[in-house]
Amino acid sequence: MLFTNVLRALPAALLFTGTQATPLGDLESRQTTIDAFIKAQTTISVNGILANIGGGGSKAPGVSAGIVVASPSRTDPDYWYTWTRDAALTYKALVERFISGDTSLRQKIDDYVSAQAYLQTVSNPSGGPDSGGLGEPKFNVDRTAFTGAWGRPQRDGPPLRATALTIYANWLIANGNKTQALNVVWPVIQKDLGYTVRYWNQTGFDLWEEVNGSSFFTLAATQRALAEGAALAKTLGQTCTGCADAAPQVLCFAQSFWTGKYIDSNINVNDGRTGLDANSILSSIHTFDPASKCTDATFQPCSARALANHKAVTDSFRSVYAINKGIAAGKAVAVGRYAEDVYYNGNPWYLATLAAAEQLYDALYQWDKQASITVDSVSLAFFKDLIPSIATGTFAKGSATYTSITSAVKTYADGYVAVVQKYTPSNGGLAEQFDKNSGTPLSAVDLTWSYAAFLTAVERRASIVPPTWGEPANNVAPATCTGTPACNAKTTFNVQATTVYGENVFVTGQLTQLGNWSPDAAKALSAAKYTASNPLWSATIDLPASTVFEYKYIRKNSAGAVTWESDPNRRFTTSAGCGSTATINDTWR
């Protein structure tokens, strides 16, 4: 009966090696096929990452040591940049691999520490080293600031980098290199944690660089970084100001993303989406702690919430991609960013599909360690897709039901790897996306993050897990969310703008406090001091201190028609210090 249940849960009637179909024989032949693919693709993925890192990478010529190029692609799309987020996630994977025994990576990791220390000093459109510049999403590969238009700031980069380096620092300490951890690695971590504490409760762009609001992924990365950063600081005899106080408040806020059925990945923004987004699955695998149980509060991979969310997110792609047509719930499908995606016409991503597999491998590890599986009303639908007769209850390791569940989940997880296998070209190159109709690779070639996602997924499959980040001691949210005191500066906007009766002037811009560029949410200016000789419109608004932002003025007439002033956007940096003041004097253009 168990064997029958496993076969019933198989993701497809065929398995694939490269682009060639192989008939499914039995479970053993299926396993052999996937194992062979993983073995070959692991080598390709490691080499793919190293090729995209400066200081010797074959596809990163002339790039400084330790700088991670997102992709060698320079046109359609141009990814010849280094993203703080991508680099941190890539190096987190490399540090974990190093700790697991690949000692050849030590110099690459030290190069990364040096490169990031330098980038932290580079002033950029998001600000200077002490005024928000750490929230800049990407830099040129020569380590200079990228000054073009972009979705900024992105507040996930600093906590992700802090996590990658904290794992390394803890290894250094455990292996007799506390001096290097303290003098070389900690200063970089400390700056990132300082940024994270200061800005965690400010909105910013999500990991897809499209939505300016509150991102679940950013909050999940933040809570982890602050918790483990506070512990590292204590070990080093240093101070992580605000970390221990902010971490539980971040966790408290994270609970508001749970809808009761799934995680709404972006809130505090009207984006017109359901919120079902691979953002949430990526969050769960990033905050996976091998020492944790199935904690709902931190959305651990095996938690009821995370499993319900896994079903909701993956199911949302079953009807939007032709290559998923006819695949029933509980069987693996190609996974994209979110169903409403229009980038490159909206397609599956290798890294998102691999993340769906990785969460399930993480869950299997956690169930094994806690020696039981609990099925409750929240997670029941997820389990019923795999075992229709399942009922709520707790099933001990060794029981028939426990064995049936773990076998079915393992098969389900392997199915996502098989999807990637099916749409990976024979040379093993992993692009960013694959076509939703044909499965042909699309967008940026040799995406570094795709290769890193493959490595972490198959390592979790092999029960190779990262060190604990202290989740068991940091998984209880306060009963009441208080946030942290806002560090605001009062900014007065004065603009000379001649108007006619019935017209009013507003200011809007990239900050939430200015309406995120929405004319409907723009802030009204007052004409109390307006005269024919001095057509002054004015308003004083609380904005985050030491923050760079872009803005514009608009006119609205009595019928509601909106007129924007001419380009380019205006730019200003708010004054430093909580409660400080600044005045902007402009003339309508």
Side-chain angles (χ1 to χ4, degrees):
M1 178 62 74
L2 172 59
F3 187 70
T4 302
N5 285 339
V6 170
L7 288 181
R8 186 178 296 126
L10 288 176
L14 292 174
L15 292 176
F16 298 81
T17 302
T19 57
Q20 300 299 313
T22 301
L24 175 63
D26 54 24
L27 190 61
E28 182 178 357
S29 65
R30 178 183 188 279
Q31 189 74 39
T32 301
T33 302
I34 289 182
D35 287 346
F37 169 68
I38 288 174
K39 182 178 180 180
Q41 190 63 38
T42 296
T43 299
I44 292 170
S45 295
V46 171
N47 291 337
I49 291 173
L50 298 180
N52 289 348
I53 297 178
S58 62
K59 295 184 179 180
V63 176
S64 299
I67 293 294
V68 180
V69 178
S71 162
S73 178
R74 304 197 192 195
T75 57
D76 192 28
D78 183 3
Y79 281 14
W80 190 246
Y81 298 97
T82 183
W83 270 264
T84 303
R85 174 196 312 106
D86 296 36
L89 289 169
T90 297
Y91 262 96
K92 177 177 178 288
L94 292 182
V95 171
E96 290 171 358
R97 189 172 181 83
F98 165 71
I99 291 173
S100 296
D102 189 348
T103 57
S104 69
L105 296 172
R106 176 72 181 273
Q107 186 58 55
K108 291 291 184 186
I109 296 169
D110 288 337
D111 289 343
Y112 173 70
V113 177
S114 299
Q116 300 310 299
Y118 180 85
L119 287 179
Q120 286 181 329
T121 70
V122 177
S123 294
N124 55 68
S126 292
D130 300 314
S131 61
L134 272 62
E136 181 67 9
K138 70 178 185 179
F139 295 82
N140 296 317
V141 298
D142 64 359
R143 306 193 306 179
T144 61
F146 169 74
T147 58
W150 207 255
R152 53 171 68 92
Q154 293 176 25
R155 307 199 192 280
D156 54 6
L160 291 172
R161 181 166 55 196
T163 282
L165 295 181
T166 296
I167 297 171
Y168 184 45
N170 283 328
W171 180 89
L172 289 170
I173 294 167
N175 288 273
N177 291 287
K178 186 174 181 179
T179 299
Q180 182 181 355
L182 175 62
N183 297 331
V184 180
V185 185
W186 171 250
V188 182
I189 297 171
Q190 186 178 39
K191 290 177 183 177
D192 281 338
L193 295 177
Y195 177 94
T196 302
V197 168
R198 182 169 186 175
Y199 292 105
W200 76 262
N201 61 345
Q202 297 291 335
T203 55
F205 280 85
D206 71 331
L207 78 166
W208 307 132
E209 311 187 301
E210 297 173 342
V211 175
N212 188 7
S214 298
S215 165
F216 183 73
F217 180 78
T218 301
L219 270 294
T222 293
Q223 193 250 341
R224 171 178 176 164
L226 294 179
E228 63 191 346
L232 175 61
K234 184 176 181 180
T235 299
L236 292 172
Q238 299 296 299
T239 301
C240 183
T241 304
C243 290
D245 293 330
Q249 291 303 325
V250 177
L251 181 61
C252 192
F253 180 39
Q255 308 312 303
S256 60
F257 290 79
W258 176 244
T259 67
K261 295 182 177 179
Y262 64 88
I263 298 165
D264 184 347
S265 288
N266 293 292
I267 64 175
N268 293 329
V269 62
N270 183 17
D271 59 5
R273 304 177 189 171
T274 63
L276 293 166
D277 192 312
N279 167 320
S280 55
I281 295 178
L282 289 162
S283 301
S284 185
I285 64 175
H286 177 71
T287 55
F288 162 59
D289 190 321
S292 173
K293 295 185 178 180
C294 301
T295 316
D296 268 333
T298 56
F299 300 87
Q300 286 299 297
C302 65
S303 68
R305 286 180 175 182
L307 294 172
N309 181 73
H310 185 284
K311 171 178 167 56
V313 172
T314 56
D315 282 356
S316 71
F317 297 104
R318 295 183 186 277
S319 62
V320 297
Y321 300 152
I323 58 176
N324 289 341
K325 184 178 181 180
I327 302 177
K331 296 184 179 181
V333 289
V335 179
R337 302 191 300 174
Y338 50 92
E340 303 90 346
D341 196 2
V342 296
Y343 181 56
Y344 274 78
N345 202 29
N347 297 287
W349 285 43
Y350 289 101
L351 68 90
T353 306
L354 288 162
E358 185 171 338
Q359 182 188 330
L360 300 180
Y361 293 136
D362 291 346
L364 287 164
Y365 183 92
Q366 292 179 312
W367 288 326
D368 180 67
K369 294 303 176 185
Q370 72 175 22
S372 67
I373 297 173
T374 296
V375 179
D376 64 14
S377 60
V378 174
S379 60
L380 180 61
F382 169 86
F383 289 107
K384 273 189 169 294
D385 284 344
L386 305 178
I387 303 176
S389 62
I390 196 77
T392 58
T394 296
F395 309 100
K397 183 177 179 179
S399 67
T401 303
Y402 178 97
T403 303
S404 296
I405 291 173
T406 54
S407 295
V409 171
K410 173 64 158 49
T411 298
Y412 189 27
D414 281 352
Y416 287 100
V417 177
V419 170
V420 170
Q421 178 185 8
K422 178 176 180 179
Y423 299 114
T424 297
S426 57
N427 66 1
L430 295 181
E432 179 181 69
Q433 308 172 40
F434 47 104
D435 187 88
K436 62 186 175 184
N437 297 310
S438 66
T440 303
L442 285 176
S443 187
V445 299
D446 294 311
L447 191 77
T448 312
W449 190 358
S450 294
Y451 289 126
F454 182 85
L455 290 182
T456 55
V458 299
E459 285 172 356
R460 303 302 177 262
R461 182 179 187 265
S463 294
I464 300 172
V465 297
T468 178
W469 58 268
E471 190 276 351
N474 293 279
N475 62 15
V476 178
T480 303
C481 300
T482 60
T484 56
C487 183
N488 289 330
K490 292 187 177 297
T491 304
T492 298
F493 293 84
N494 291 326
V495 60
Q496 302 279 338
T498 302
T499 55
V500 298
Y501 183 77
E503 285 185 328
N504 290 287
V505 177
F506 299 74
V507 61
T508 188
Q510 70 183 97
L511 298 176
T512 300
Q513 294 85 348
L514 297 179
N516 284 333
W517 294 112
S518 169
D520 293 337
K523 302 303 178 183
L525 276 61
S526 169
K529 297 181 180 179
Y530 185 104
T531 65
S533 60
N534 183 32
L536 179 66
W537 291 83
S538 181
T540 299
I541 304 172
D542 282 340
L543 301 177
S546 300
T547 299
V548 178
F549 67 96
E550 294 185 353
Y551 68 101
K552 270 187 176 180
Y553 298 102
I554 61 174
R555 282 192 176 103
K556 295 183 184 180
N557 65 20
S558 56
V562 175
T563 301
W564 292 77
E565 64 173 342
S566 60
D567 290 334
N569 294 339
R570 300 179 185 272
R571 180 183 295 271
F572 188 73
T573 303
T574 57
S575 57
C578 304
S580 57
T581 61
T583 300
I584 302 171
N585 294 305
D586 292 322
T587 300
W588 178 278
R589 60 191 183 200

